[in-house]
Amino acid sequence: MEHHRWRREVRQAAYSALITEAVAAEEGLRSAWTVLSEAGPGHLDEAMERMRAAENLVSAARRAASTVAVEGSTAVVEAAEALMTALGVALADLFSWHADSARGAGTEAWRDRHAAHVLEARARLKDFTGSARAALDDEPYRSAR
């Protein structure tokens, strides 16, 4: 029983760490989106700084997801992978949008596309949180059998 309690604590810490890092990454992506969407040619450097900060936050979430990959149940690991894919897509879009903006080709389509991808990341974060909660709620019942 003590081993099950320890495993649950390890999983809970891993899940919580990913949630914390993913929330920070999503906020960083939104911050970069705001600057880039309002950036004229003179503000692209500031947008790049925000994008690099968002990239670091997504990297921190990836590191947290690697712990979940080892410690989590299959359903939680799959939800974490979907979350990381969504964050990665949103980040890649920012860099593509920035490159187009630097060439003078920034469009409203990028703004809408990136906003949709950030919303997708938020939905995947909600899914991950639900999967993590369900897995942790289930554990005492499985370990008591």
Side-chain angles (χ1 to χ4, degrees):
M1 195 60 142
E2 191 64 33
H3 177 73
H4 290 293
R5 185 182 335 212
W6 173 77
R7 289 288 296 144
R8 185 182 190 285
E9 289 172 3
V10 167
R11 286 182 173 144
Q12 183 177 13
Y15 301 164
S16 294
L18 178 51
I19 291 167
T20 299
E21 297 295 349
V23 166
E26 190 264 337
E27 289 172 356
L29 290 166
R30 279 189 292 116
S31 174
W33 177 88
T34 299
V35 171
L36 190 54
S37 66
E38 296 171 355
H43 294 97
L44 288 176
D45 289 341
E46 180 185 356
M48 182 55 80
E49 287 176 24
R50 297 276 179 103
M51 290 163 46
R52 293 285 183 215
E55 184 176 39
N56 290 335
L57 293 167
V58 171
S59 291
R62 280 192 188 107
R63 287 189 297 277
S66 68
T67 303
V68 171
V70 172
E71 299 295 342
S73 66
T74 301
V76 175
V77 170
E78 289 171 356
E81 290 170 351
L83 169 59
M84 293 316 305
T85 296
L87 288 172
V89 167
L91 182 63
D93 273 357
L94 276 177
F95 281 96
S96 295
W97 180 9
H98 185 275
D100 278 358
S101 295
R103 289 191 305 272
T107 67
E108 191 71 30
W110 275 119
R111 190 174 292 119
D112 295 342
R113 178 180 172 161
H114 183 70
H117 285 140
V118 170
L119 288 174
E120 176 69 16
R122 186 176 295 158
R124 297 299 65 83
L125 176 57
K126 185 177 178 180
D127 291 347
F128 172 78
T129 302
S131 292
R133 185 179 301 117
L136 291 171
D137 286 347
D138 261 0
E139 283 188 18
Y141 301 111
R142 280 190 272 136
S143 62
R145 289 182 205 164

